[in-house]
Amino acid sequence: MSDERSGVNPEEEDEGMTPLIARQRPHDSYCLVYGIFFMLGIGSLLPWNFFITAKHYWLYKLNNGSSLASNKELHTDLSDYFESYLAIASTVPSVLCLVLNYLLVNRLSSNVRILLSLAVILLVFMITTVLVKMDVSGCRKMFLAGTLASVALVSGASNIFSGSMFGISAYFPMRISQALISGQAMGGTLSAVASIVDLAAASDETSSALAYFLTADIFIIFCIILYLLLPKVTYSRYYLGASCTGTATTSDSSLSTSTSSSNPSGISVPPLRPIMGKMWKLCIYVFWIFFISITIFPAISSGIQSVDKDSGSPWSGTYFVPLTSFLLYNVADFSGRQMTIWLQVPGPTSPVLPILVACRTALVPLFMFCNYQPRYHLQRVFFAYDLFPVIFVCLLGLSNGYLGTLTMIYGPKVVPRDLAEPAGVIMSFFLTAGLAAGSAFSVLLVYFF
């Protein structure tokens, strides 16, 4: 992609490198580094996705293992608002953690931030796995509080992890940032597939959840191994060495971004004004993209039921929501992110970009007039066919994946190279701020129904 088309430096150019050094640049053999960043992208959002797609398990545990219909109070408090509770519990701490991540970006090495966050995620998921087979009927409120606290811890740690990884990826060619963001979408797809497979194969809710969370435990351990492998690869050492010295080197075996190397001026906190001066518009775009997405998914989209739910068909009863809301959205989101490999238009300064971002707002009323249940205030259903939510979910996922990826990878590329990592953290902050605001707004929409 040329400068005229995208407005960012092409992959073939490396700022601050001499022609001789550029000719000696190593190749990403077998796409190993691309694959590592892709897998770490999966790991950065997989924990949160595993929590939100396990809706049937959480409601089962909180309802003493009986059907929701037998407890009207629980149905109103949890069934209607549970996804919004989870979204708020995950996104609000995430904003605070990303602020902390920005303040620590030059004080604490990326090794420490990333490995510590992965350790916290693994610990929480191991505890969650142990609790699957425990009887919590006598302490449901405590279990709910513990669940929301676990979501907050996992989400905060995941955002420190993903923000740090996105900051590191900014030192690499654009394809590496794209790999990380595409991996995040694949994390949602894998969690949705795992949920459907466990739902179909397991004999009861707890057996399904046990296999589900054990899968997450194993994958988090796998991510830790991959991250430890990353600095051993020559391709990684080359770009990370260039980010610290301004020239390429293959002798640096650490991913650390300590103050002495990445911040030679001794400034402990990266300067905010010059970064925002370059990319404030992109920050607004990414905020609005994810505000609209989390407003709809999963709080609204997972409440849309098949119009033939009472027919007794497994499709319309058991699998409609897991397939159309969770799996279809994540597949569409992943597809949109993959499109950015071949197509990177409009560019970061194009007037078309804000128009496309604003047009996604129309998706909110489209979803509201599908067959969302229960409906207490807004009784009219305009789109009374199952095909409509399928189309709308595809549009939501594709636009989120494509536009979200473009804005995220553009941000660190429009600032000077020495500010790329804090710029990546700032973009992650606005992404999460959009998620936090959207999750709060989704509560109002659910109440409006």
Side-chain angles (χ1 to χ4, degrees), residues 46-97:
L46 189 75
W48 182 75
N49 279 291
F50 264 64
F51 267 109
I52 66 169
T53 51
K55 174 182 177 180
H56 293 288
Y57 163 71
W58 300 121
L59 296 181
Y60 175 86
K61 292 285 280 189
L62 292 167
N63 199 37
N64 280 338
S66 58
S67 64
L68 290 175
S70 64
N71 192 323
K72 177 62 177 176
E73 180 181 356
L74 184 64
H75 177 79
T76 300
D77 291 342
L78 291 180
S79 180
D80 295 352
Y81 295 98
F82 190 69
E83 289 89 352
S84 297
Y85 292 159
L86 288 182
I88 293 172
S90 64
T91 53
V92 173
S94 297
V95 174
L96 300 178
C97 285

Side-chain angles (χ1 to χ4, degrees), residues 199 306 308-309 311-323:
L199 188 64
S306 170
D308 299 319
K309 182 180 180 181
S311 66
S313 168
W315 152 253
S316 59
T318 304
Y319 296 106
F320 182 80
V321 171
L323 285 172

Side-chain angles (χ1 to χ4, degrees), residues 350-391:
S350 171
V352 178
L353 184 58
I355 295 175
L356 293 178
V357 171
C359 285
R360 299 183 76 247
T361 310
L363 289 170
V364 175
L366 292 179
F367 273 89
M368 291 177 65
F369 288 108
C370 289
N371 188 38
Y372 179 91
Q373 297 296 333
R375 307 176 77 89
Y376 299 115
H377 305 292
L378 189 64
Q379 299 297 327
R380 185 71 180 270
V381 176
F382 287 100
F383 305 111
Y385 296 94
D386 290 346
L387 179 61
F388 285 109
V390 170
I391 295 174

Side-chain angles (χ1 to χ4, degrees), residues 94-142:
S94 297
V95 174
L96 300 178
C97 285
L98 282 170
V99 172
L100 179 64
N101 197 29
Y102 180 79
L103 297 176
L104 295 178
V105 70
N106 285 333
R107 299 185 182 187
L108 202 61
S109 73
S110 56
N111 274 337
V112 174
R113 284 180 278 127
I114 290 172
L115 291 175
L116 183 60
S117 60
L118 284 172
V120 170
I121 294 170
L122 179 61
L123 177 62
V124 172
F125 263 85
M126 290 178 67
I127 295 174
T128 301
T129 305
V130 171
L131 290 175
V132 168
K133 289 294 185 179
M134 294 182 63
D135 183 10
V136 297
S137 58
C139 51
R140 287 183 297 165
K141 290 185 178 179
M142 185 179 297

Side-chain angles (χ1 to χ4, degrees), residues 2 24 45 60 66 113 157 181 239 243 275 282 293 311 318 370 389 410 416 423 435:
S2 66
Q24 296 173 345
L45 280 189
Y60 175 86
S66 58
R113 284 180 278 127
I181 298 173
Y239 282 101
S243 71
I275 298 176
L282 293 171
S293 296
S311 66
T318 304
C370 289
Y410 284 161
L435 295 176

Side-chain angles (χ1 to χ4, degrees), residues 158-428:
S158 295
N159 276 274
I160 290 178
F161 170 52
S162 62
S164 299
M165 286 303 305
F166 191 73
I168 290 174
S169 73
Y171 295 127
F172 291 80
M174 190 180 291
R175 62 186 289 270
I176 299 300
S177 297
Q178 187 275 334
L180 184 68
I181 298 173
S182 293
Q184 291 178 334
M186 180 55 74
T189 303
L190 290 178
S191 64
V193 171
S195 176
I196 293 170
V197 170
D198 291 337
L199 188 64
S203 58
D204 56 73
E205 292 282 355
T206 56
S207 297
S208 172
L210 183 62
Y212 191 57
F213 289 122
L214 279 173
T215 303
D217 295 337
I218 295 171
F219 195 87
I220 295 167
I221 295 173
F222 183 56
C223 285
I224 295 174
I225 296 172
L226 285 178
Y227 180 75
L228 295 175
L229 174 65
L230 186 59
K232 308 297 182 183
V233 183
T234 302
Y235 185 81
S236 298
R237 295 201 302 269
Y238 175 87
Y239 282 101
L240 292 168
S243 71
C244 295
T245 65
T247 59
T249 177
T250 59
S251 62
D252 184 8
S253 62
S254 174
L255 289 177
S256 174
T257 55
S258 62
T259 303
S260 60
S261 59
S262 63
N263 189 30
S265 65
I267 300 174
S268 58
V269 178
L272 184 61
R273 181 172 295 180
I275 298 176
M276 292 302 295
K278 292 285 187 179
M279 63 178 202
W280 66 271
K281 290 183 180 180
L282 293 171
C283 291
I284 294 175
Y285 300 160
V286 78
F287 173 89
W288 193 251
I289 289 168
F290 288 93
F291 172 84
I292 294 299
S293 296
I294 201 66
T295 295
I296 298 171
F297 174 85
I300 303 299
S301 62
S302 67
I304 297 176
Q305 300 177 2
S306 170
V307 294
D308 299 319
K309 182 180 180 181
D310 298 329
S311 66
S313 168
W315 152 253
S316 59
T318 304
Y319 296 106
F320 182 80
V321 171
L323 285 172
T324 60
S325 178
F326 293 106
L327 181 59
L328 185 59
Y329 172 82
N330 283 292
V331 169
D333 184 32
F334 176 74
S335 300
R337 299 183 192 218
Q338 289 298 103
M339 287 168 58
T340 60
I341 298 177
W342 307 282
L343 187 65
Q344 295 171 13
V345 290
T349 59
S350 171
V352 178
L353 184 58
I355 295 175
L356 293 178
V357 171
C359 285
R360 299 183 76 247
T361 310
L363 289 170
V364 175
L366 292 179
F367 273 89
M368 291 177 65
F369 288 108
C370 289
N371 188 38
Y372 179 91
Q373 297 296 333
R375 307 176 77 89
Y376 299 115
H377 305 292
L378 189 64
Q379 299 297 327
R380 185 71 180 270
V381 176
F382 287 100
F383 305 111
Y385 296 94
D386 290 346
L387 179 61
F388 285 109
V390 170
I391 295 174
F392 298 156
V393 166
C394 287
L395 290 175
L396 180 70
L398 279 171
S399 60
N400 180 81
Y402 185 74
L403 295 175
T405 300
L406 282 186
T407 52
M408 287 295 291
I409 64 179
Y410 284 161
K413 300 299 181 183
V414 299
V415 301
R417 190 181 184 90
D418 60 331
L419 297 177
E421 183 176 1
V425 174
I426 290 173
M427 291 298 291
S428 296

